[in-house]
Amino acid sequence: MASTLAILRPSAPAPLAGGRARAAAPATARVALSSRSRYSSARVSLGSEVAVGADALFADYKPTTAFLFPGQGAQTVGMGAEAQSVPAATKLFNQANEILGYDLLDLCTNGPKEKLDSTVISQPAIYVTSLAAVEVLRARDGGQDVINSVDVTCGLSLGEYTALAFAGAFSFEDGLKLVKLRGEAMQDASDAANSAMVSVIGLDSEKVQELCDAANEEVDENERVQIANFLCPGNYAVSGGVKGIEVVEAKAKSFKARMTVRLAVAGAFHTSFMQPAVSRLESALAATEIRTPRIPVISNVDAQPHSDPDTIKQILAQQVTSPVQWETTVKTLMGKGLEKSYELGPGKVIAGILKRINKGASIENIGA
């Protein structure tokens, strides 16, 4: 979701980032790097464009320890309970109440489930609870050492905002305002069209694409479907018009899918159905201070880290209408030598995905 915002100097490390200030370089057209820097000024591509200089700061990143943040769907009534015993975590919920205008912690801990599951509530709830989990970890013996060891971060869809906040790209408060608007804009876009999402279980991505192609032959253009979430082998989410989704469900068995699961979301996320949300997000991002992250934050759009604030805004603008490249992200991290991961926030969705991609992956869940 994002667009033009003036390139601003990185500020002092924000409390949530907590880790070492690995790459706080001025977000100018040129980035001065010492010969000992672990990051090069190589070229990286973004769609049809090629970014150089500031956006290539993390081009040769070598991950060892990652923080991974969940997306919508991870919410559950009762989350946030542990945060109440950690003052720094409780403070985040209190700050959130002022921004959101309602008692978020009460909704997280007591529900009702139907309200917590709504797009406009679940996205802020997961964002705040996930960052509260960082504070829960920090309060534990050795927790600050773990935080200091983190040298890469990413999040699933919504979780990308949480990762950017952790990495100091924007403040907790600014990130929450963006997430609040994102949830509202996505809900409004969903209300404007009859759309849905379904998980297809048991097929590789090529077969799921063939299934989508077959479904699209039977529906009008405004009902077409596409892969929206590349999660892990055997689990891909398809988004599109309700009629297209129904055809996918009807044809899945003939393509040897094990099952389909209709997702409890408002609409066809990560497709052109979300286009009405983009302009609102661009306007909000244009008014938000975004800084160069201190550590690489891997984008859902292209599975690459970006360091230039304007590029990050463009990436976030594209995110709501672009497929989530989570499988590529995880495989890339592991291929580059990732040794340990932590899932921070509600649920264990990311841990399950990681284990599907690599059974030997080391991941620990930190809830709040």
Side-chain angles (χ1 to χ4, degrees):
M1 320 188 320
S3 78
T4 60
L5 187 126
I7 299 178
L8 299 160
R9 66 187 183 284
S11 69
L16 278 171
R20 296 191 295 271
R22 278 187 170 73
T28 58
R30 296 186 182 87
V31 176
L33 299 170
S34 73
S35 59
R36 284 185 272 176
S37 171
R38 55 187 300 194
Y39 304 118
S40 77
S41 57
R43 297 164 69 89
V44 292
S45 62
L46 170 57
S48 61
E49 301 175 2
V50 176
V52 297
D55 196 51
L57 187 60
F58 303 124
D60 65 347
Y61 76 102
K62 295 176 174 58
T64 59
T65 306
F67 270 8
L68 310 178
F69 295 101
Q72 188 173 346
Q75 71 275 0
T76 180
V77 174
M79 69 185 196
E82 189 174 352
Q84 297 180 68
S85 62
V86 178
T90 302
K91 182 180 178 180
L92 294 181
F93 279 98
N94 291 336
Q95 289 175 293
N97 293 346
E98 295 179 8
I99 292 169
L100 299 172
Y102 56 82
D103 191 335
L104 181 65
L105 183 57
D106 180 64
L107 276 173
C108 288
T109 54
N110 300 314
K113 182 180 185 299
E114 295 75 19
K115 191 170 184 178
L116 182 61
D117 284 347
S118 69
T119 299
V120 295
I121 300 294
S122 63
Q123 293 198 20
I126 294 167
Y127 172 85
V128 175
T129 303
S130 298
L131 290 173
V134 176
E135 300 305 329
V136 170
L137 173 60
R138 195 192 309 275
R140 297 180 184 175
D141 288 342
Q144 185 62 57
D145 291 337
V146 171
I147 294 170
N148 290 346
S149 72
V150 175
D151 51 15
V152 68
T153 183
C154 53
L156 185 58
S157 188
L158 157 73
E160 187 170 339
Y161 286 78
T162 320
L164 285 163
F166 171 76
F170 42 66
S171 69
F172 166 79
E173 295 87 350
D174 284 347
L176 180 57
K177 291 173 184 176
L178 289 171
V179 167
K180 176 179 182 291
L181 181 101
R182 181 183 191 265
E184 293 167 351
M186 292 174 73
Q187 181 66 59
D188 289 346
S190 298
D191 291 343
N194 196 19
S195 62
M197 295 184 71
V198 63
S199 282
V200 179
I201 309 299
L203 297 180
D204 60 30
S205 59
E206 290 78 10
K207 273 292 182 183
V208 176
Q209 185 58 57
E210 291 177 14
L211 173 58
C212 290
D213 292 342
N216 288 337
E217 290 178 0
E218 299 187 14
V219 296
D220 294 337
E221 186 173 354
N222 62 352
E223 295 284 352
R224 288 182 178 177
V225 298
Q226 69 178 68
I227 301 176
N229 287 347
F230 291 83
L231 294 174
C232 62
N235 188 348
Y236 301 96
V238 172
S239 284
V242 168
K243 290 182 179 179
I245 293 295
E246 290 172 347
V247 176
V248 167
E249 292 169 331
K251 287 181 172 292
K253 286 292 185 181
S254 67
F255 279 78
K256 309 301 182 185
R258 186 156 59 88
M259 67 172 66
T260 60
V261 179
R262 185 73 71 96
L263 300 181
V265 295
F269 297 165
H270 299 290
T271 70
S272 60
F273 281 87
M274 292 295 107
Q275 189 62 41
V278 172
S279 61
R280 291 172 64 183
L281 293 167
E282 288 178 335
S283 296
L285 283 154
T288 303
E289 178 183 0
I290 294 185
R291 302 175 290 270
T292 298
R294 282 181 293 278
I295 58 175
V297 179
I298 311 303
S299 163
N300 281 232
V301 173
D302 61 4
Q304 297 293 328
H306 297 280
S307 53
D308 172 57
D310 279 348
T311 303
I312 291 170
K313 291 176 191 181
Q314 293 165 11
I315 283 285
L316 290 177
Q318 295 175 35
Q319 195 218 53
V320 289
T321 57
S322 301
V324 173
Q325 301 294 337
W326 190 253
E327 182 179 357
T328 300
T329 294
V330 172
K331 287 181 176 179
T332 300
L333 289 174
M334 291 182 173
K336 283 178 170 288
L338 183 69
E339 299 170 2
K340 175 73 175 180
S341 298
Y342 295 83
E343 178 177 9
L344 294 103
K348 298 183 179 180
V349 172
I350 289 178
I353 292 172
L354 231 64
K355 292 293 186 180
R356 286 290 300 273
I357 294 173
N358 184 339
K359 290 182 180 179
S362 175
I363 184 166
E364 181 178 342
N365 297 89
I366 308 294

